[in-house]
């Protein structure tokens, strides 16, 4: 039986300019999460740690930060195997040339795609040698039988995964095609499984709003050659990134969003982005300011009201509609005698549609 920890995409050195004053605190958390990842390996009795690329944001990262990472990995109680990714490819002048790597005896940075043997296990590392490539980095791994557990370590885009930075394409069936028991991947920041044997661990600490299920490492257990791996996420993330997209068309709806913001747990370790749309009356201003104050309690909080549109003072705007169907719809709604709330809501929907089209 082999048990190991799979992590990737630490992106140490990322700028995080978007979150202003909270940047230093959130950058520091990436190191704290790295220490939690290394601690998780010994807590769970891992035989080794696999790092599937993008340890660093880029090759220009300050060398003091590189040494800090080497210290953390060097402090692990087991071997650590690392591949360069597309953010930190193995090129002249890269972070991998720093002398500190030589001092960390338990850390191996793979510099070429060739098998690496461990007791009972063969690793198939696929280091990246360029920022971009349209080649499948796992293509060289050939299926072969035998009595060893075979584990691939690669960085790239699994076909069909919704990844922004599309490169180093990896077929969905790469693991079975190459006869691997497990393919440890990096590049996508969310935890994801493809079949039984292929996984993105996701980043150990969330990197932006909208990432789903990041802030984990994976503990993987494989009984023997051909066995289906048991894959368990372990939480390492420290900062939560909460994004709310809300439509507010009344004072009640604004108050209800404010109450939800006030009820969010752990504001001191939460980054909050609220984006509002809808129609606003001048006397909603105060409720909106209260919402902004509720967001100030967070490590970083932003209420973006640029999607709010001013509500019209009366219904004379209908007369300004262009001739044709839309004008007919507007006039019919204005003159309709149905339920007043439905009538008002339909008119406002038409009004905001026009403002959106016009802007
Ligand atoms: Mn990447």
């Amino acid at each position: 039986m082999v048990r190991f920890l799979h992590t990737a995409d630490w992106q140490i050195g990322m700028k995080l300019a978007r979150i202003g004053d909270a940047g230093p605190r959130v950058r520091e958390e990436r190191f704290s999460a790295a220490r939690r990842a290394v601690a998780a390996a010994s807590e769970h009795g891992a035989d080794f740690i696999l790092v599937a690329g993008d340890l660093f944001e880029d090759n220009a990262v300050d060398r003091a930060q590189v040494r800090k990472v080497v210290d953390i990995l060097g402090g692990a109680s087991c071997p650590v195997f690392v591949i360069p990714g597309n953010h930190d490819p193995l090129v002249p002048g890269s972070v991998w040339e720093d002398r500190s790597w030589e001092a960390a005896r338990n850390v191996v940075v793979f510099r070429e795609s060739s098998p690496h043997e461990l007791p009972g296990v063969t690793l198939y590392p696929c280091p990246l040698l360029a920022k971009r490539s349209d080649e499948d980095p796992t293509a060289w791994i050939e299926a072969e039988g035998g009595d060893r557990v075979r584990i691939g370590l690669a960085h790239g885009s699994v076909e069909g995964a919704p990844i922004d930075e599309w490169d180093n394409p990896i077929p969905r069936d790469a693991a079975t095609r190459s006869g691997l028991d497990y393919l440890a991947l990096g590049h996508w920041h969310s935890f994801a499984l493809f079949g039984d044997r292929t996984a993105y661990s996701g980043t150990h600490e969330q990197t932006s709003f909208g990432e789903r299920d990041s802030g984990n490492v994976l503990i993987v257990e494989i009984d023997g050659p051909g066995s289906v791996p048991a894959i368990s996420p372990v939480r390492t993330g420290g900062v939560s990134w909460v994004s709310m997209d809300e439509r507010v068309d009344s004072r009640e709806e604004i108050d209800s969003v404010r109450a939800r913001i006030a009820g969010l747990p752990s504001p001191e370790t939460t980054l909050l982005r609220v984006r509002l749309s809808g129609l606003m009356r001048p006397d909603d201003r105060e409720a909106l300011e209260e919402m902004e104050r509720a967001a100030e309690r967070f490590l970083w909080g932003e209420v973006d009201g640029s999607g709010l549109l001013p509500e019209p003072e009366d219904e004379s705007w209908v007369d300004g509609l262009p001739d044709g169907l839309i004008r007919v719809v507007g006039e019919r709604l204005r003159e309709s005698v149905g339920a007043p709330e439905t009538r008002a809501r339909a008119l406002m929907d038409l009004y905001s549609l026009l403002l959106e089209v016009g802007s």
Side-chain angles (χ1 to χ4, degrees):
M1 198 267 282
V2 57
R3 185 187 295 133
F4 56 93
L5 185 144
H6 166 196
T7 183
D9 300 282
W10 288 9
Q11 309 281 155
I12 297 293
M14 68 185 302
K15 301 284 185 290
L16 294 161
R18 166 106 185 61
I19 51 167
D21 287 354
R25 166 77 177 74
V26 177
R27 281 196 292 276
E28 189 53 37
E29 195 65 29
R30 306 199 71 73
F31 287 105
S32 305
R35 289 184 199 98
R36 289 192 286 272
V38 166
S42 71
E43 279 159 28
H44 292 267
D47 301 320
F48 51 85
I49 295 172
L50 298 180
V51 185
D54 286 0
L55 255 189
F56 300 97
E57 176 71 359
D58 53 50
N59 273 321
V61 167
D62 182 76
R63 292 303 184 256
Q65 300 209 45
V66 174
R67 279 162 221 147
K68 213 162 146 181
V69 169
V70 175
D71 271 352
I72 292 171
L73 294 176
S77 53
C78 62
V80 180
F81 300 104
V82 180
I83 56 165
N86 67 309
H87 275 255
D88 50 12
L90 187 67
V91 295
S94 72
V95 288
W96 312 109
E97 286 181 5
D98 194 86
R99 295 291 298 274
S100 58
W101 294 104
E102 292 161 31
R105 311 300 287 270
N106 63 321
V107 181
V108 176
V109 178
F110 289 116
R111 290 161 195 273
E112 50 187 56
S113 295
S114 64
H116 181 90
E117 301 219 332
L118 301 169
V121 174
T122 305
L123 296 181
Y124 296 83
C126 311
L128 295 186
L129 311 181
K131 265 188 181 260
R132 266 207 60 81
S133 165
D134 293 324
E135 307 286 315
D136 168 12
T138 68
W140 65 278
I141 308 170
E142 284 177 28
E144 51 185 271
D147 54 358
R148 304 174 66 79
V149 171
R150 306 175 83 236
I151 300 170
L153 179 60
H155 191 91
S157 309
V158 170
E159 282 171 358
I163 297 175
D164 294 341
E165 277 184 289
W166 185 263
D167 52 28
N168 299 286
I170 297 171
R172 277 182 176 247
D173 66 349
T176 44
R177 180 206 61 193
S178 301
L180 296 172
D181 293 297
Y182 184 72
L183 177 54
L185 294 179
H187 195 42
W188 197 9
H189 291 188
S190 297
F191 166 48
L193 293 171
F194 298 87
D196 289 335
R197 302 182 182 279
T198 302
Y200 284 107
S201 60
T203 175
H204 70 319
E205 172 71 32
Q206 193 161 341
T207 56
S208 67
F209 289 109
E211 279 171 17
R212 174 200 55 81
D213 216 355
S214 59
N216 307 292
V217 295
L218 303 180
I219 297 290
V220 184
E221 248 182 57
I222 305 175
D223 278 339
S227 304
V228 172
I231 302 165
S232 318
V234 173
R235 183 92 197 139
T236 47
V239 170
S240 305
W241 299 62
V242 177
S243 182
M244 296 168 65
D245 285 283
E246 305 293 334
R247 173 155 187 131
V248 287
D249 283 321
S250 65
R251 169 92 200 208
E252 290 70 35
E253 284 169 344
I254 296 176
D255 286 343
S256 135
V257 172
R258 176 179 47 75
R260 275 168 50 212
I261 290 173
L264 285 170
S266 313
E268 67 288 351
T269 53
T270 298
L271 308 169
L272 173 69
R273 181 186 69 185
V274 185
R275 288 191 298 206
L276 301 174
S277 61
L279 294 171
M280 204 182 84
R281 284 183 302 267
D283 56 354
D284 289 337
R285 186 69 238 167
E286 205 177 309
L288 203 61
E289 281 166 9
E290 266 179 64
M291 185 193 294
E292 283 163 354
R293 274 195 295 280
E296 280 169 14
R297 298 185 306 127
F298 289 78
L299 172 55
W300 180 85
E302 178 185 85
V303 176
D304 177 1
S306 62
L308 289 169
L309 303 165
E311 190 173 299
E313 283 170 23
D314 55 40
E315 289 169 2
S316 60
W317 58 273
V318 173
D319 300 322
L321 289 171
D323 280 339
L325 183 61
I326 200 156
R327 171 83 163 269
V328 174
V329 171
E331 286 172 349
R332 288 220 184 129
L333 277 173
R334 185 170 59 180
E335 283 139 30
S336 69
V337 288
E341 266 181 37
T342 314
R343 173 187 172 281
R345 184 71 187 224
L347 269 169
M348 284 309 102
D349 280 350
L350 181 64
Y351 180 75
S352 49
L353 195 70
L354 287 170
L355 286 186
E356 277 161 32
V357 169
S359 64

